[in-house]
Amino acid sequence: MTITQLKYVLAVAEHQNFTKAAEKTFVTQPTLSMQIQKLEDELDILIFDRGKKPIELTEVGKKLVQQARNIVNESERIQDIVDQQKGYIGGEFKLGVIPTVMPTLLPMFLNNFIKKYPKVKLKIEELHTEAIIERLNDGHLDAAIAATPLENENIKERVLYYEPFVGYIPSNHRLHDQKKIDVTDLDIDDMLLLEDGHCFRDGIINLCKTSRSYEDDHFQLESGSFETLVKLSNEGLGMTLLPYLHTLDIKENEASNLRHFNEPTPAREVSLIYHKSELKMQIIDALRTTIAGIVKGAIAFQNVKIISPVTSSK
């Protein structure tokens, strides 16, 4: 049994296809099939049910894959230990970012990080929180940036920053004439929300629950982006809440519709998260230092007192 054979098994288990697995592991399909067959012969079991399409794991194959993933992760830790001892910060690093953070945070730190750590090959993917957790557990992501706390025993969280919520209130709205707003002013009936699946949406719903009664059928309009929510709000369809960093790029003629909260300000906690196996910690530390330093300057000048972070319902 070899680590390479186990990696081939994991690839087939993921793609449920020998040809695709071979492409992803950069070997020919016959080579991959032969190595898996050798492993099955050695263990005297069938790992895959080849009679089904797509290919499926046998019952013993499912148990073997779980253990194989642990073994492959631990084998990679050896190289990780060597890299850390040498002070080497480089190699491929797969990072997931939730959609409500990606467009504002990425431009702030990415160029700086690439210049400072040119040997790191970042692969960045926009994913919802549920997909991020799944991929961290499967080893398909090295780390991610997400709203926390997640309360997942397999995931470690390191806070990057606390991002205040800001109201976007059009001129025809009942709250527009207020210089600042309170959480108790919020009404889910006239709130425009992100579509289901966004943790920012869940945070707002939980925030509204603290001040008023709430029923699922109260809100009227949902969208997949903050830009659309702002446009809908401009059409008089309601107010919305935006994460603070998103307001930094808002159009000049729309800035007059922004309303900050009276203290303590509701906010979300944004963290760098990673699997408890703690692989590639030198890159994770470099990312955290870079991001936290840049964002701290953008948010700290507000000098506001933050409410305990608003959590999602998921």
Side-chain angles (χ1 to χ4, degrees):
M1 183 189 304
T2 67
I3 298 296
T4 299
Q5 287 173 327
L6 295 180
K7 287 181 177 179
Y8 292 163
V9 167
L10 292 177
V12 176
E14 177 185 355
H15 299 287
Q16 295 181 283
N17 183 283
F18 279 82
T19 302
K20 288 182 180 178
E23 290 174 357
K24 294 296 181 180
T25 52
F26 306 104
V27 295
T28 64
Q29 191 267 327
T31 297
L32 179 137
S33 297
M34 180 184 68
Q35 288 299 321
I36 291 178
Q37 183 66 59
K38 284 179 66 176
L39 180 59
E40 288 178 321
D41 291 343
E42 178 184 342
L43 298 174
D44 194 26
I45 61 167
L46 283 177
I47 300 172
F48 297 102
D49 185 343
R50 295 164 174 79
K52 293 185 178 180
K53 292 186 179 181
I55 293 168
E56 293 183 6
L57 287 163
T58 61
E59 288 305 311
V60 69
K62 292 176 183 177
K63 296 177 181 179
L64 186 143
V65 162
Q66 291 178 355
Q67 189 60 34
R69 188 170 288 120
N70 293 334
I71 293 170
V72 170
N73 283 342
E74 289 302 314
S75 71
E76 291 176 350
R77 184 185 291 276
I78 295 173
Q79 184 61 53
D80 199 51
I81 291 171
V82 173
D83 288 343
Q84 290 188 49
Q85 183 66 29
K86 292 179 178 179
Y88 176 72
I89 301 179
E92 182 178 279
F93 191 86
K94 293 167 286 187
L95 180 70
V97 186
I98 59 173
T100 58
V101 167
M102 174 83 93
T104 51
L105 182 61
L106 210 59
M108 293 180 71
F109 83 87
L110 186 57
N111 194 42
N112 183 292
F113 183 84
I114 290 172
K115 288 181 178 179
K116 193 171 183 179
Y117 303 101
K119 294 180 180 178
V120 177
K121 183 182 179 182
L122 274 180
K123 287 191 172 183
I124 303 172
E125 189 172 2
E126 184 177 289
L127 297 164
H128 289 296
T129 305
E130 288 183 2
I132 281 174
I133 293 173
E134 181 180 344
R135 296 196 185 197
L136 284 172
N137 283 326
D138 289 344
H140 296 137
L141 284 179
D142 296 307
I145 300 171
T148 53
L150 299 176
E151 299 180 350
N152 186 300
E153 62 180 10
N154 292 323
I155 305 297
K156 292 199 171 186
E157 305 171 1
R158 298 177 72 182
V159 177
L160 293 170
Y161 57 91
Y162 294 97
E163 184 174 20
F165 291 1
V166 180
Y168 185 85
I169 306 174
S171 59
N172 64 343
H173 193 274
R174 61 185 173 85
L175 299 177
H176 182 78
D177 292 336
Q178 295 184 203
K179 291 183 178 180
K180 287 194 173 184
I181 58 176
D182 289 304
V183 171
T184 54
D185 293 327
L186 303 180
D187 188 341
I188 201 70
D189 284 332
D190 63 9
M191 185 77 67
L192 300 174
L193 300 173
L194 291 174
E195 62 192 11
D196 196 17
H198 291 272
C199 52
F200 190 81
R201 159 208 166 95
D202 299 325
I204 291 175
I205 290 175
N206 282 347
L207 194 62
C208 291
K209 283 180 181 178
T210 65
S211 60
R212 297 172 184 265
S213 62
Y214 169 78
E215 296 178 10
D216 282 345
D217 59 357
H218 271 192
F219 55 84
Q220 301 170 344
L221 277 170
E222 302 173 11
S223 172
S225 72
F226 290 120
E227 289 77 10
T228 303
L229 291 181
V230 168
K231 290 178 181 178
L232 292 172
S233 185
N234 289 338
E235 292 298 317
L237 296 173
M239 67 167 287
T240 193
L241 295 185
L242 304 173
Y244 174 75
L245 292 180
H246 186 88
T247 68
L248 300 181
D249 294 325
I250 203 161
K251 295 177 182 177
E252 187 175 346
N253 65 323
E254 295 173 337
S256 61
N257 291 330
L258 295 176
R259 295 293 182 275
H260 293 275
F261 281 86
N262 288 312
E263 295 184 4
T265 302
R268 65 172 174 175
E269 179 182 272
V270 178
S271 300
L272 189 61
I273 64 175
Y274 50 93
H275 194 266
K276 65 180 181 180
S277 59
E278 296 188 335
L279 292 171
K280 303 185 181 181
M281 285 305 299
Q282 69 275 30
I283 300 179
I284 289 172
D285 289 339
L287 268 172
R288 183 175 182 271
T289 301
T290 302
I291 296 171
I294 291 174
V295 177
K296 185 178 179 180
I299 294 180
F301 79 92
Q302 289 193 108
N303 194 28
V304 295
K305 183 180 179 182
I306 301 277
I307 290 180
S308 296
V310 178
T311 58
S312 73
S313 58
K314 295 183 179 180

